[in-house]
Amino acid sequence: MFCHYEDIVVMEGLVREMQDPEAGVPVRSQKLFLTSIPSAFMGYDLIEWLMERLGIEESEALNISNQLCMHGYFFPVSDTKTLVVKDDSSLYRFQTPYYWPWQQKAPDQIEYAIYLAKRSLRNKQRHGLEDYEAEALASLHKNLKGKWDFITMQAEEQVRLAKERKKGDKIVGDSQERAYWRVHRPPPGQFTPLESCPIPSRDRQGKPRKRTVEDWQREVEILKASLGRNRVKMSQACECNVAYYETFSEYDPMMNPPLPSNPWVTEDVSFWQMNGPVVEVPTEKRVKRWGISIEEVVSDPTGLQEFTAYLKKEYSHENIRFWMAVNDLRRSSHSQIFRKVKEIYEEFLEPGAPCEINIDGKTMEKVQQGLKNPSRFAFDLAAEHIYMLLLKKDCYPRFVRSEHYKTLMANAIQPSHKKRFFGFGGGAKKKGSTATAPNPSLLTQPSGPTSGNINSLSKRRGSDRSLSGSAHELAVCGVKDATKVPHSHSQSNLSDIPYSVAIYRGDMPYGGQPAAAGAGHEQRFGKQ
């Protein structure tokens, strides 16, 4: 029921007649449990006055009085939870004209927050908040965080002033305030005549008005102003970003190098083998990430496998199996929808099913309605119920605290760094030769033709240190029957071997003397 301006004028005129000292409703001080209530009237006095003034029956007078009470023109003193007029000795008071609905604008959220905060500071038995009021207070505390100190200060000051008033004035003031907010902030589902009129549908509006240049310019200005307006507090956004970085920086390959090595650089595939989709023994970092949230577990195939194995031990694996089946249904082809919907219902939802899941009756009714026209989204409500209430809030916390998870953490692989195979970047140190050092006694032995070879070796290009011990000793000792001299040069010191020592790698003349080889070398490259 929605009132027009003419109806408001009629109602306010009628209320002013009721307040007339001589011809109005009899108003006087009334007793309420040994407490004097000033300027109050009884319910049957109001009904009789309306019947005499308007010439109507009792039922019509009761209906009019209830409408006036719901609009906030008077309120019950003793009953603070309903705005109903009774034809008995119940006490009522006229609302101050300042608080009449159409005498002032609608109250804002700060005023409502002060009222609820004041109620929460008083005696909880008499002034305790109802459930919807407690939820509204929590929501206001979150939305008005920056002004909450001011709200608390106002509420404490009003509570202090209320203690100095008389008992009768306290009862009147409390009932007046409750009635005012009962009109402007009614409980959920309760009708209020102050509700705004519904917007008519598009088909009744007719042809839309053509927009002018001024309309477009005004809209552009509004959009420009909204661009610089912050939708979220910068402090909250920064806190969220910092918390996200602290949580996931350990798993970011840009922040921490992959272990044991980067396969794209070292050509070592150990990283890919350890972190495959499904592995027998996961790494410690992987198991540790499962403890962040259930989303990290179900998004990892190995984590989902271990989570399912744990639930099998707990005899509650039907929940995760149902959730996995519904996810598979969403990604199935259209030709398989009907068959999979029937299989899921027969296995998990049908009465007496082998793996029957536990869902509430309301969700089951919606699922039954969706089964009339089977689709890939028929079980979405049931899957969300299982995921949020059972898996996320019950099964997952037990999994993280279980011995199964602790065993996975204890047996997890801890990969270590491997040395890089290629020295990219020039910063890596060269690996020293692992070959045995040459025998000094052989180098200093002055026997026969070998000494000439030693002298020729000392005049060659390069350093003897760049040769391995085995090749050097073979060259000094004059090995005759060696068809190919083995070498033990490592990959890192190949670049240090000068081109002039190529004679030691197998191009020594067969059956020739070492001195002749040295002389031939001097003829080819000359003396230094």
Side-chain angles (χ1 to χ4, degrees):
M1 179 179 180
F2 305 101
C3 299
H4 299 286
Y5 177 74
E6 294 79 6
D7 301 330
I8 302 303
V9 173
V10 173
M11 284 193 296
E12 292 188 357
L14 184 60
V15 172
R16 288 192 175 92
E17 291 184 17
M18 291 180 183
Q19 293 178 327
D20 188 271
E22 298 178 359
V25 177
V27 176
R28 58 186 179 273
S29 296
Q30 304 283 352
K31 288 288 185 179
L32 179 65
F33 300 113
L34 302 178
T35 303
S36 178
I37 305 299
S39 303
F41 58 90
M42 297 184 182
Y44 55 74
D45 291 338
L46 174 64
I47 301 300
E48 290 181 0
W49 186 91
L50 287 173
M51 292 171 62
E52 293 177 1
R53 171 67 179 79
L54 302 177
I56 55 178
E57 297 181 357
E58 180 181 352
S59 59
E60 295 178 353
L62 188 62
N63 185 24
I64 292 175
S65 61
N66 279 315
Q67 289 295 329
L68 294 174
C69 185
M70 291 176 64
H71 280 78
Y73 291 106
F74 48 82
F75 57 89
V77 175
S78 56
D79 188 3
T80 58
K81 293 188 176 181
T82 57
L83 297 176
V84 179
V85 177
K86 301 177 182 179
D87 189 9
D88 54 12
S89 60
S90 301
L91 299 183
Y92 300 87
R93 274 180 58 93
F94 287 107
Q95 183 69 278
T96 306
Y98 177 78
Y99 294 111
W100 287 1
W102 279 270
Q103 296 294 329
Q104 63 160 357
K105 63 179 182 178
D108 58 7
Q109 297 287 32
I110 296 180
E111 296 176 357
Y112 189 45
I114 294 174
Y115 164 71
L116 295 178
K118 180 175 63 176
R119 288 264 306 277
S120 64
L121 295 175
R122 302 180 69 179
N123 186 1
K124 297 188 182 300
Q125 185 176 0
R126 294 179 56 189
H127 306 281
L129 299 176
E130 299 182 26
D131 294 339
Y132 79 95
E133 291 176 330
E135 294 177 1
L137 179 62
S139 177
L140 291 171
H141 184 271
K142 182 179 180 180
N143 297 332
L144 302 175
K145 209 169 187 179
K147 302 179 181 179
W148 199 252
D149 293 339
F150 167 76
I151 293 171
T152 305
M153 181 183 65
Q154 290 289 332
E156 293 175 352
E157 182 65 19
Q158 292 186 19
V159 170
R160 186 186 64 81
L161 294 176
K163 292 180 180 179
E164 300 176 357
R165 301 168 65 183
K166 296 180 180 179
K167 185 176 181 181
D169 295 337
K170 289 182 183 179
I171 296 176
V172 171
D174 180 59
S175 57
Q176 181 181 16
E177 196 172 22
R178 287 199 182 192
Y180 174 78
W181 289 110
R182 183 71 64 164
V183 172
H184 290 276
R185 297 290 189 276
Q190 181 175 322
F191 168 75
T192 172
L194 303 182
E195 185 178 359
S196 57
C197 296
I199 300 175
S201 58
R202 290 181 176 270
D203 55 354
R204 297 183 182 180
Q205 290 182 356
K207 188 176 181 180
R209 183 179 64 89
K210 187 176 180 180
R211 305 185 70 175
T212 61
V213 177
E214 290 77 10
D215 296 336
W216 291 110
Q217 291 177 350
R218 191 181 306 111
E219 184 174 356
V220 169
E221 292 177 358
I222 293 173
L223 294 176
K224 285 182 178 180
S226 64
L227 288 176
R229 191 179 307 153
N230 294 330
R231 304 299 178 184
V232 181
K233 289 185 177 180
M234 186 59 66
S235 58
Q236 295 180 357
C238 293
E239 290 176 0
C240 293
N241 290 333
V242 170
Y244 183 86
Y245 171 78
E246 292 177 350
T247 304
F248 291 98
S249 61
E250 182 181 356
Y251 312 101
D252 191 344
M254 301 298 292
M255 299 296 175
N256 294 294
L259 297 178
S261 61
N262 189 343
W264 296 103
V265 176
T266 62
E267 296 186 0
D268 182 10
V269 297
S270 300
F271 176 81
W272 289 332
Q273 293 173 351
M274 293 179 182
N275 297 275
V278 179
V279 295
E280 294 183 1
V281 182
T283 61
E284 182 181 11
K285 184 181 292 187
R286 192 171 183 176
V287 177
K288 187 178 178 181
R289 187 166 185 171
W290 297 344
I292 297 177
S293 65
I294 189 174
E295 286 77 12
E296 299 293 335
V297 176
V298 299
S299 61
D300 188 346
T302 304
L304 185 60
Q305 179 178 325
E306 296 294 341
F307 189 41
T308 306
Y310 166 75
L311 293 180
K312 284 183 180 179
K313 298 178 181 179
E314 297 289 323
Y315 301 101
S316 59
H317 63 286
E318 68 276 359
N319 297 322
I320 189 67
R321 286 184 56 207
F322 172 74
W323 182 80
M324 293 166 62
V326 173
N327 285 341
D328 179 65
L329 174 66
R330 293 174 187 165
R331 296 165 176 81
S332 301
S333 61
H334 185 72
S335 60
Q336 300 176 346
I337 296 298
F338 182 80
R339 177 180 59 83
K340 289 191 175 182
V341 167
K342 183 179 179 181
E343 292 176 355
I344 292 174
Y345 179 76
E346 292 177 351
E347 185 177 0
F348 298 103
L349 294 172
E350 189 178 20
C355 296
E356 187 175 1
I357 59 174
N358 185 18
I359 59 176
D360 58 280
K362 186 177 180 180
T363 305
M364 190 64 183
E365 291 178 2
K366 294 182 179 180
V367 170
Q368 295 286 356
Q369 294 176 2
L371 291 177
K372 296 178 181 178
N373 296 314
S375 66
R376 64 181 73 249
F377 309 109
F379 302 108
D380 280 5
L381 290 176
E384 183 180 1
H385 176 84
I386 291 294
Y387 183 80
M388 297 301 296
L389 296 182
L390 297 179
L391 293 178
K392 188 173 184 178
K393 295 184 179 181
D394 179 51
C395 297
Y396 175 72
R398 289 190 288 111
F399 169 70
V400 175
R401 297 191 301 266
S402 66
E403 293 295 331
H404 186 87
Y405 182 78
K406 295 178 182 178
T407 304
L408 289 173
M409 184 67 74
N411 298 334
I413 301 175
Q414 297 182 1
S416 58
H417 278 287
K418 284 189 176 182
K419 294 184 179 180
R420 301 172 65 179
F421 189 80
F422 297 105
F424 294 134
K429 294 183 179 180
K430 296 181 180 180
K431 187 187 296 185
S433 176
T434 58
T436 57
N439 193 346
S441 61
L442 296 175
L443 296 176
T444 57
Q445 185 178 2
S447 59
T450 308
S451 59
N453 189 29
I454 295 175
N455 295 331
S456 63
L457 285 175
S458 62
K459 299 178 182 180
R460 299 182 185 189
R461 295 167 60 186
S463 174
D464 292 339
R465 290 177 298 174
S466 63
L467 302 177
S468 63
S470 58
H472 186 73
E473 290 177 1
L474 288 174
V476 172
C477 298
V479 179
K480 298 182 180 180
D481 298 331
T483 59
K484 186 175 182 181
V485 182
H487 62 84
S488 61
H489 301 296
S490 63
Q491 196 102 7
S492 60
N493 60 10
L494 284 175
S495 58
D496 295 339
I497 302 175
Y499 179 75
S500 59
V501 300
I503 189 173
Y504 296 117
R505 294 206 304 264
D507 51 354
M508 294 180 65
Y510 299 105
Q513 295 297 331
H521 183 75
E522 291 178 359
Q523 292 177 1
R524 291 169 59 188
F525 295 97
K527 297 182 180 181
Q528 291 183 349

